[in-house]
PDB file of all heavy atoms in Angstrom:
ATOM      1  N   SER A   1       2.354   9.222  20.821  1.00  0.00           N
ATOM      2  CA  SER A   1       1.836   9.854  19.552  1.00  0.00           C
ATOM      3  C   SER A   1       2.673   9.630  18.491  1.00  0.00           C
ATOM      4  O   SER A   1       2.330   9.294  17.392  1.00  0.00           O
ATOM      5  CB  SER A   1       1.369  11.316  19.804  1.00  0.00           C
ATOM      6  OG  SER A   1       2.576  12.039  20.239  1.00  0.00           O
ATOM      7  N   ILE A   2       3.989   9.848  18.730  1.00  0.00           N
ATOM      8  CA  ILE A   2       4.979   9.698  17.592  1.00  0.00           C
ATOM      9  C   ILE A   2       5.076   8.193  17.202  1.00  0.00           C
ATOM     10  O   ILE A   2       5.267   7.921  15.997  1.00  0.00           O
ATOM     11  CB  ILE A   2       6.389  10.267  18.046  1.00  0.00           C
ATOM     12  CG1 ILE A   2       6.386  11.712  18.225  1.00  0.00           C
ATOM     13  CG2 ILE A   2       7.537   9.789  17.144  1.00  0.00           C
ATOM     14  CD1 ILE A   2       7.695  12.275  18.792  1.00  0.00           C
ATOM     15  N   THR A   3       5.046   7.407  18.187  1.00  0.00           N
ATOM     16  CA  THR A   3       5.084   5.973  17.814  1.00  0.00           C
ATOM     17  C   THR A   3       3.894   5.487  16.949  1.00  0.00           C
ATOM     18  O   THR A   3       4.138   4.764  15.942  1.00  0.00           O
ATOM     19  CB  THR A   3       5.056   5.081  19.192  1.00  0.00           C
ATOM     20  OG1 THR A   3       6.152   5.400  19.998  1.00  0.00           O
ATOM     21  CG2 THR A   3       4.975   3.554  18.852  1.00  0.00           C
ATOM     22  N   PHE A   4       2.670   5.903  17.364  1.00  0.00           N
ATOM     23  CA  PHE A   4       1.472   5.572  16.532  1.00  0.00           C
ATOM     24  C   PHE A   4       1.568   6.253  15.067  1.00  0.00           C
ATOM     25  O   PHE A   4       1.131   5.674  14.146  1.00  0.00           O
ATOM     26  CB  PHE A   4       0.236   5.909  17.152  1.00  0.00           C
ATOM     27  CG  PHE A   4      -0.061   4.969  18.360  1.00  0.00           C
ATOM     28  CD1 PHE A   4      -0.155   5.361  19.559  1.00  0.00           C
ATOM     29  CD2 PHE A   4      -0.393   3.623  18.061  1.00  0.00           C
ATOM     30  CE1 PHE A   4      -0.414   4.446  20.657  1.00  0.00           C
ATOM     31  CE2 PHE A   4      -0.663   2.692  19.032  1.00  0.00           C
ATOM     32  CZ  PHE A   4      -0.670   3.106  20.390  1.00  0.00           C
ATOM     33  N   SER A   5       2.169   7.515  15.148  1.00  0.00           N
ATOM     34  CA  SER A   5       2.202   8.241  13.770  1.00  0.00           C
ATOM     35  C   SER A   5       3.225   7.465  12.897  1.00  0.00           C
ATOM     36  O   SER A   5       2.965   7.384  11.648  1.00  0.00           O
ATOM     37  CB  SER A   5       2.696   9.707  14.077  1.00  0.00           C
ATOM     38  OG  SER A   5       1.777  10.415  14.850  1.00  0.00           O
ATOM     39  N   THR A   6       4.247   6.983  13.498  1.00  0.00           N
ATOM     40  CA  THR A   6       5.225   6.321  12.821  1.00  0.00           C
ATOM     41  C   THR A   6       4.741   4.991  12.259  1.00  0.00           C
ATOM     42  O   THR A   6       4.964   4.544  11.113  1.00  0.00           O
ATOM     43  CB  THR A   6       6.509   5.991  13.641  1.00  0.00           C
ATOM     44  OG1 THR A   6       7.066   7.248  14.117  1.00  0.00           O
ATOM     45  CG2 THR A   6       7.634   5.287  12.830  1.00  0.00           C
ATOM     46  N   LEU A   7       3.952   4.319  13.084  1.00  0.00           N
ATOM     47  CA  LEU A   7       3.336   3.059  12.685  1.00  0.00           C
ATOM     48  C   LEU A   7       2.358   3.278  11.521  1.00  0.00           C
ATOM     49  O   LEU A   7       2.263   2.459  10.570  1.00  0.00           O
ATOM     50  CB  LEU A   7       2.601   2.384  13.806  1.00  0.00           C
ATOM     51  CG  LEU A   7       3.548   1.759  14.897  1.00  0.00           C
ATOM     52  CD1 LEU A   7       2.770   1.276  16.083  1.00  0.00           C
ATOM     53  CD2 LEU A   7       4.371   0.651  14.379  1.00  0.00           C
ATOM     54  N   PHE A   8       1.666   4.440  11.512  1.00  0.00           N
ATOM     55  CA  PHE A   8       0.673   4.761  10.482  1.00  0.00           C
ATOM     56  C   PHE A   8       1.502   4.974   9.129  1.00  0.00           C
ATOM     57  O   PHE A   8       1.102   4.454   8.175  1.00  0.00           O
ATOM     58  CB  PHE A   8      -0.004   6.002  10.764  1.00  0.00           C
ATOM     59  CG  PHE A   8      -0.986   6.379   9.707  1.00  0.00           C
ATOM     60  CD1 PHE A   8      -2.270   5.826   9.604  1.00  0.00           C
ATOM     61  CD2 PHE A   8      -0.653   7.225   8.590  1.00  0.00           C
ATOM     62  CE1 PHE A   8      -3.248   6.101   8.589  1.00  0.00           C
ATOM     63  CE2 PHE A   8      -1.455   7.396   7.472  1.00  0.00           C
ATOM     64  CZ  PHE A   8      -2.774   6.910   7.554  1.00  0.00           C
ATOM     65  N   LEU A   9       2.598   5.623   9.237  1.00  0.00           N
ATOM     66  CA  LEU A   9       3.460   5.750   7.951  1.00  0.00           C
ATOM     67  C   LEU A   9       3.884   4.453   7.426  1.00  0.00           C
ATOM     68  O   LEU A   9       3.788   4.178   6.117  1.00  0.00           O
ATOM     69  CB  LEU A   9       4.686   6.629   8.264  1.00  0.00           C
ATOM     70  CG  LEU A   9       4.515   8.049   8.591  1.00  0.00           C
ATOM     71  CD1 LEU A   9       5.868   8.747   9.013  1.00  0.00           C
ATOM     72  CD2 LEU A   9       3.723   8.761   7.576  1.00  0.00           C
ATOM     73  N   ILE A  10       4.236   3.512   8.269  1.00  0.00           N
ATOM     74  CA  ILE A  10       4.553   2.059   7.862  1.00  0.00           C
ATOM     75  C   ILE A  10       3.391   1.485   7.159  1.00  0.00           C
ATOM     76  O   ILE A  10       3.434   0.801   6.185  1.00  0.00           O
ATOM     77  CB  ILE A  10       5.088   1.300   9.051  1.00  0.00           C
ATOM     78  CG1 ILE A  10       6.433   1.899   9.539  1.00  0.00           C
ATOM     79  CG2 ILE A  10       5.252  -0.177   8.650  1.00  0.00           C
ATOM     80  CD1 ILE A  10       6.971   1.273  10.813  1.00  0.00           C
ATOM     81  N   ALA A  11       2.180   1.652   7.830  1.00  0.00           N
ATOM     82  CA  ALA A  11       0.939   1.075   7.362  1.00  0.00           C
ATOM     83  C   ALA A  11       0.707   1.635   5.877  1.00  0.00           C
ATOM     84  O   ALA A  11       0.238   0.931   5.013  1.00  0.00           O
ATOM     85  CB  ALA A  11      -0.243   1.332   8.260  1.00  0.00           C
ATOM     86  N   SER A  12       0.978   2.913   5.686  1.00  0.00           N
ATOM     87  CA  SER A  12       0.708   3.529   4.423  1.00  0.00           C
ATOM     88  C   SER A  12       1.578   2.997   3.334  1.00  0.00           C
ATOM     89  O   SER A  12       1.268   2.798   2.157  1.00  0.00           O
ATOM     90  CB  SER A  12       0.776   5.082   4.584  1.00  0.00           C
ATOM     91  OG  SER A  12       2.141   5.478   4.705  1.00  0.00           O
ATOM     92  N   TYR A  13       2.874   2.754   3.685  1.00  0.00           N
ATOM     93  CA  TYR A  13       3.776   2.152   2.832  1.00  0.00           C
ATOM     94  C   TYR A  13       3.329   0.724   2.404  1.00  0.00           C
ATOM     95  O   TYR A  13       3.423   0.320   1.200  1.00  0.00           O
ATOM     96  CB  TYR A  13       5.223   2.044   3.458  1.00  0.00           C
ATOM     97  CG  TYR A  13       5.773   3.380   3.696  1.00  0.00           C
ATOM     98  CD1 TYR A  13       6.778   3.473   4.772  1.00  0.00           C
ATOM     99  CD2 TYR A  13       5.453   4.594   3.119  1.00  0.00           C
ATOM    100  CE1 TYR A  13       7.361   4.689   5.158  1.00  0.00           C
ATOM    101  CE2 TYR A  13       5.974   5.706   3.492  1.00  0.00           C
ATOM    102  CZ  TYR A  13       6.986   5.854   4.441  1.00  0.00           C
ATOM    103  OH  TYR A  13       7.526   6.981   4.863  1.00  0.00           O
ATOM    104  N   TRP A  14       2.926   0.031   3.459  1.00  0.00           N
ATOM    105  CA  TRP A  14       2.365  -1.349   3.210  1.00  0.00           C
ATOM    106  C   TRP A  14       1.204  -1.338   2.211  1.00  0.00           C
ATOM    107  O   TRP A  14       1.142  -2.139   1.336  1.00  0.00           O
ATOM    108  CB  TRP A  14       2.075  -1.893   4.594  1.00  0.00           C
ATOM    109  CG  TRP A  14       1.662  -3.433   4.608  1.00  0.00           C
ATOM    110  CD1 TRP A  14       1.753  -4.199   3.548  1.00  0.00           C
ATOM    111  CD2 TRP A  14       1.059  -4.179   5.656  1.00  0.00           C
ATOM    112  NE1 TRP A  14       1.324  -5.554   3.957  1.00  0.00           N
ATOM    113  CE2 TRP A  14       0.822  -5.436   5.205  1.00  0.00           C
ATOM    114  CE3 TRP A  14       0.736  -3.734   6.958  1.00  0.00           C
ATOM    115  CZ2 TRP A  14       0.334  -6.370   6.103  1.00  0.00           C
ATOM    116  CZ3 TRP A  14       0.167  -4.707   7.836  1.00  0.00           C
ATOM    117  CH2 TRP A  14       0.032  -6.070   7.337  1.00  0.00           C
ATOM    118  N   LEU A  15       0.265  -0.328   2.488  1.00  0.00           N
ATOM    119  CA  LEU A  15      -0.863  -0.224   1.616  1.00  0.00           C
ATOM    120  C   LEU A  15      -0.500   0.124   0.171  1.00  0.00           C
ATOM    121  O   LEU A  15      -1.081  -0.458  -0.698  1.00  0.00           O
ATOM    122  CB  LEU A  15      -1.742   0.837   2.198  1.00  0.00           C
ATOM    123  CG  LEU A  15      -3.037   1.133   1.273  1.00  0.00           C
ATOM    124  CD1 LEU A  15      -4.237   0.425   1.887  1.00  0.00           C
ATOM    125  CD2 LEU A  15      -3.331   2.588   1.056  1.00  0.00           C
ATOM    126  N   ALA A  16       0.387   1.111  -0.031  1.00  0.00           N
ATOM    127  CA  ALA A  16       0.844   1.406  -1.383  1.00  0.00           C
ATOM    128  C   ALA A  16       1.400   0.183  -2.010  1.00  0.00           C
ATOM    129  O   ALA A  16       1.039  -0.080  -3.180  1.00  0.00           O
ATOM    130  CB  ALA A  16       1.880   2.469  -1.321  1.00  0.00           C
ATOM    131  N   TRP A  17       2.245  -0.610  -1.353  1.00  0.00           N
ATOM    132  CA  TRP A  17       2.936  -1.805  -1.878  1.00  0.00           C
ATOM    133  C   TRP A  17       1.783  -2.758  -2.279  1.00  0.00           C
ATOM    134  O   TRP A  17       1.764  -3.430  -3.292  1.00  0.00           O
ATOM    135  CB  TRP A  17       3.828  -2.504  -0.862  1.00  0.00           C
ATOM    136  CG  TRP A  17       4.210  -3.834  -1.327  1.00  0.00           C
ATOM    137  CD1 TRP A  17       5.295  -4.169  -2.118  1.00  0.00           C
ATOM    138  CD2 TRP A  17       3.548  -5.078  -0.856  1.00  0.00           C
ATOM    139  NE1 TRP A  17       5.360  -5.587  -2.190  1.00  0.00           N
ATOM    140  CE2 TRP A  17       4.347  -6.136  -1.504  1.00  0.00           C
ATOM    141  CE3 TRP A  17       2.530  -5.410  -0.129  1.00  0.00           C
ATOM    142  CZ2 TRP A  17       4.032  -7.457  -1.327  1.00  0.00           C
ATOM    143  CZ3 TRP A  17       2.163  -6.722   0.105  1.00  0.00           C
ATOM    144  CH2 TRP A  17       2.879  -7.667  -0.501  1.00  0.00           C
ATOM    145  N   PHE A  18       0.778  -2.886  -1.370  1.00  0.00           N
ATOM    146  CA  PHE A  18      -0.282  -3.855  -1.607  1.00  0.00           C
ATOM    147  C   PHE A  18      -1.048  -3.498  -2.976  1.00  0.00           C
ATOM    148  O   PHE A  18      -1.311  -4.458  -3.736  1.00  0.00           O
ATOM    149  CB  PHE A  18      -1.258  -3.800  -0.435  1.00  0.00           C
ATOM    150  CG  PHE A  18      -2.623  -4.643  -0.702  1.00  0.00           C
ATOM    151  CD1 PHE A  18      -2.534  -5.949  -0.502  1.00  0.00           C
ATOM    152  CD2 PHE A  18      -3.684  -3.889  -0.919  1.00  0.00           C
ATOM    153  CE1 PHE A  18      -3.732  -6.760  -0.729  1.00  0.00           C
ATOM    154  CE2 PHE A  18      -4.963  -4.634  -1.113  1.00  0.00           C
ATOM    155  CZ  PHE A  18      -4.906  -6.054  -0.957  1.00  0.00           C
ATOM    156  N   PHE A  19      -1.477  -2.217  -3.049  1.00  0.00           N
ATOM    157  CA  PHE A  19      -2.104  -1.838  -4.302  1.00  0.00           C
ATOM    158  C   PHE A  19      -1.203  -2.009  -5.613  1.00  0.00           C
ATOM    159  O   PHE A  19      -1.700  -2.438  -6.725  1.00  0.00           O
ATOM    160  CB  PHE A  19      -2.657  -0.429  -4.292  1.00  0.00           C
ATOM    161  CG  PHE A  19      -3.864  -0.284  -3.433  1.00  0.00           C
ATOM    162  CD1 PHE A  19      -3.892   0.746  -2.431  1.00  0.00           C
ATOM    163  CD2 PHE A  19      -4.909  -1.101  -3.465  1.00  0.00           C
ATOM    164  CE1 PHE A  19      -5.100   0.798  -1.601  1.00  0.00           C
ATOM    165  CE2 PHE A  19      -5.967  -0.965  -2.758  1.00  0.00           C
ATOM    166  CZ  PHE A  19      -6.161  -0.100  -1.839  1.00  0.00           C
ATOM    167  N   PHE A  20       0.080  -1.524  -5.497  1.00  0.00           N
ATOM    168  CA  PHE A  20       0.978  -1.733  -6.634  1.00  0.00           C
ATOM    169  C   PHE A  20       1.077  -3.191  -7.069  1.00  0.00           C
ATOM    170  O   PHE A  20       1.085  -3.534  -8.213  1.00  0.00           O
ATOM    171  CB  PHE A  20       2.395  -1.235  -6.231  1.00  0.00           C
ATOM    172  CG  PHE A  20       2.523   0.228  -6.062  1.00  0.00           C
ATOM    173  CD1 PHE A  20       3.462   0.809  -5.135  1.00  0.00           C
ATOM    174  CD2 PHE A  20       1.614   1.140  -6.697  1.00  0.00           C
ATOM    175  CE1 PHE A  20       3.534   2.137  -4.994  1.00  0.00           C
ATOM    176  CE2 PHE A  20       1.698   2.462  -6.570  1.00  0.00           C
ATOM    177  CZ  PHE A  20       2.737   2.991  -5.692  1.00  0.00           C
ATOM    178  N   LYS A  21       1.111  -4.152  -6.108  1.00  0.00           N
ATOM    179  CA  LYS A  21       1.363  -5.580  -6.417  1.00  0.00           C
ATOM    180  C   LYS A  21       0.058  -6.273  -6.732  1.00  0.00           C
ATOM    181  O   LYS A  21       0.082  -7.114  -7.656  1.00  0.00           O
ATOM    182  CB  LYS A  21       1.970  -6.227  -5.191  1.00  0.00           C
ATOM    183  CG  LYS A  21       2.359  -7.651  -5.431  1.00  0.00           C
ATOM    184  CD  LYS A  21       3.142  -8.129  -4.190  1.00  0.00           C
ATOM    185  CE  LYS A  21       3.521  -9.650  -4.349  1.00  0.00           C
ATOM    186  NZ  LYS A  21       4.428  -9.911  -5.508  1.00  0.00           N
ATOM    187  N   LYS A  22      -1.094  -5.949  -6.117  1.00  0.00           N
ATOM    188  CA  LYS A  22      -2.225  -6.773  -6.197  1.00  0.00           C
ATOM    189  C   LYS A  22      -3.319  -6.301  -7.234  1.00  0.00           C
ATOM    190  O   LYS A  22      -4.147  -7.047  -7.613  1.00  0.00           O
ATOM    191  CB  LYS A  22      -2.939  -6.895  -4.835  1.00  0.00           C
ATOM    192  CG  LYS A  22      -2.043  -7.513  -3.735  1.00  0.00           C
ATOM    193  CD  LYS A  22      -1.684  -8.944  -4.031  1.00  0.00           C
ATOM    194  CE  LYS A  22      -0.828  -9.487  -2.981  1.00  0.00           C
ATOM    195  NZ  LYS A  22      -0.396 -10.914  -3.369  1.00  0.00           N
ATOM    196  N   VAL A  23      -3.295  -5.130  -7.731  1.00  0.00           N
ATOM    197  CA  VAL A  23      -4.180  -4.585  -8.677  1.00  0.00           C
ATOM    198  C   VAL A  23      -3.927  -5.430 -10.059  1.00  0.00           C
ATOM    199  O   VAL A  23      -2.853  -5.464 -10.468  1.00  0.00           O
ATOM    200  CB  VAL A  23      -4.101  -3.113  -8.939  1.00  0.00           C
ATOM    201  CG1 VAL A  23      -4.850  -2.607 -10.195  1.00  0.00           C
ATOM    202  CG2 VAL A  23      -4.576  -2.359  -7.727  1.00  0.00           C
ATOM    203  N   PRO A  24      -5.067  -6.067 -10.490  1.00  0.00           N
ATOM    204  CA  PRO A  24      -4.952  -6.843 -11.678  1.00  0.00           C
ATOM    205  C   PRO A  24      -4.423  -6.092 -12.862  1.00  0.00           C
ATOM    206  O   PRO A  24      -4.576  -4.975 -13.012  1.00  0.00           O
ATOM    207  CB  PRO A  24      -6.387  -7.313 -11.959  1.00  0.00           C
ATOM    208  CG  PRO A  24      -7.124  -7.248 -10.635  1.00  0.00           C
ATOM    209  CD  PRO A  24      -6.411  -5.998  -9.906  1.00  0.00           C
ATOM    210  N   LEU A  25      -3.706  -6.921 -13.656  1.00  0.00           N
ATOM    211  CA  LEU A  25      -2.958  -6.358 -14.844  1.00  0.00           C
ATOM    212  C   LEU A  25      -3.743  -5.540 -15.728  1.00  0.00           C
ATOM    213  O   LEU A  25      -3.429  -4.454 -16.297  1.00  0.00           O
ATOM    214  CB  LEU A  25      -2.221  -7.409 -15.583  1.00  0.00           C
ATOM    215  CG  LEU A  25      -1.244  -6.963 -16.700  1.00  0.00           C
ATOM    216  CD1 LEU A  25      -0.196  -6.058 -16.187  1.00  0.00           C
ATOM    217  CD2 LEU A  25      -0.649  -8.158 -17.500  1.00  0.00           C
ATOM    218  N   HIS A  26      -5.001  -6.004 -15.954  1.00  0.00           N
ATOM    219  CA  HIS A  26      -5.949  -5.368 -17.026  1.00  0.00           C
ATOM    220  C   HIS A  26      -6.284  -3.941 -16.420  1.00  0.00           C
ATOM    221  O   HIS A  26      -6.539  -3.032 -17.293  1.00  0.00           O
ATOM    222  CB  HIS A  26      -7.116  -6.182 -17.463  1.00  0.00           C
ATOM    223  CG  HIS A  26      -8.089  -6.348 -16.259  1.00  0.00           C
ATOM    224  ND1 HIS A  26      -7.912  -7.327 -15.244  1.00  0.00           N
ATOM    225  CD2 HIS A  26      -9.227  -5.689 -15.864  1.00  0.00           C
ATOM    226  CE1 HIS A  26      -8.790  -7.306 -14.436  1.00  0.00           C
ATOM    227  NE2 HIS A  26      -9.670  -6.341 -14.651  1.00  0.00           N
ATOM    228  N   HIS A  27      -6.286  -3.714 -15.162  1.00  0.00           N
ATOM    229  CA  HIS A  27      -6.655  -2.425 -14.692  1.00  0.00           C
ATOM    230  C   HIS A  27      -5.370  -1.504 -14.715  1.00  0.00           C
ATOM    231  O   HIS A  27      -5.610  -0.217 -14.895  1.00  0.00           O
ATOM    232  CB  HIS A  27      -6.995  -2.388 -13.174  1.00  0.00           C
ATOM    233  CG  HIS A  27      -8.432  -2.947 -12.947  1.00  0.00           C
ATOM    234  ND1 HIS A  27      -9.506  -2.366 -13.484  1.00  0.00           N
ATOM    235  CD2 HIS A  27      -8.821  -3.964 -12.210  1.00  0.00           C
ATOM    236  CE1 HIS A  27     -10.558  -3.035 -13.086  1.00  0.00           C
ATOM    237  NE2 HIS A  27     -10.215  -4.024 -12.374  1.00  0.00           N
ATOM    238  N   LYS A  28      -4.247  -2.033 -14.830  1.00  0.00           N
ATOM    239  CA  LYS A  28      -3.015  -1.228 -14.776  1.00  0.00           C
ATOM    240  C   LYS A  28      -2.767  -0.609 -16.137  1.00  0.00           C
ATOM    241  O   LYS A  28      -1.813   0.175 -16.238  1.00  0.00           O
ATOM    242  CB  LYS A  28      -1.814  -2.091 -14.332  1.00  0.00           C
ATOM    243  CG  LYS A  28      -1.726  -2.495 -12.883  1.00  0.00           C
ATOM    244  CD  LYS A  28      -0.630  -3.270 -12.539  1.00  0.00           C
ATOM    245  CE  LYS A  28      -0.648  -3.627 -10.967  1.00  0.00           C
ATOM    246  NZ  LYS A  28       0.610  -4.370 -10.620  1.00  0.00           N
ATOM    247  N   ARG A  29      -3.523  -0.947 -17.093  1.00  0.00           N
ATOM    248  CA  ARG A  29      -3.385  -0.337 -18.480  1.00  0.00           C
ATOM    249  C   ARG A  29      -4.282   0.897 -18.645  1.00  0.00           C
ATOM    250  O   ARG A  29      -4.339   1.546 -19.617  1.00  0.00           O
ATOM    251  CB  ARG A  29      -3.671  -1.431 -19.534  1.00  0.00           C
ATOM    252  CG  ARG A  29      -2.768  -2.575 -19.410  1.00  0.00           C
ATOM    253  CD  ARG A  29      -3.064  -3.469 -20.747  1.00  0.00           C
ATOM    254  NE  ARG A  29      -2.203  -4.609 -20.787  1.00  0.00           N
ATOM    255  CZ  ARG A  29      -2.659  -5.882 -20.494  1.00  0.00           C
ATOM    256  NH1 ARG A  29      -3.875  -5.933 -19.979  1.00  0.00           N
ATOM    257  NH2 ARG A  29      -1.862  -6.865 -20.382  1.00  0.00           N
ATOM    258  N   THR A  30      -5.098   1.252 -17.579  1.00  0.00           N
ATOM    259  CA  THR A  30      -6.044   2.282 -17.691  1.00  0.00           C
ATOM    260  C   THR A  30      -5.582   3.637 -17.136  1.00  0.00           C
ATOM    261  O   THR A  30      -4.569   3.794 -16.434  1.00  0.00           O
ATOM    262  CB  THR A  30      -7.273   1.904 -16.731  1.00  0.00           C
ATOM    263  OG1 THR A  30      -6.922   1.824 -15.423  1.00  0.00           O
ATOM    264  CG2 THR A  30      -7.997   0.648 -17.280  1.00  0.00           C
TER     265      THR A  30
END
């Protein structure tokens, strides 16, 4: 359970990075 919970945290960091990087620039001004 700790292993899968830890992997989820890593996935959430990956997701945050993905949105920070991939959201188009014109949306980032909103």
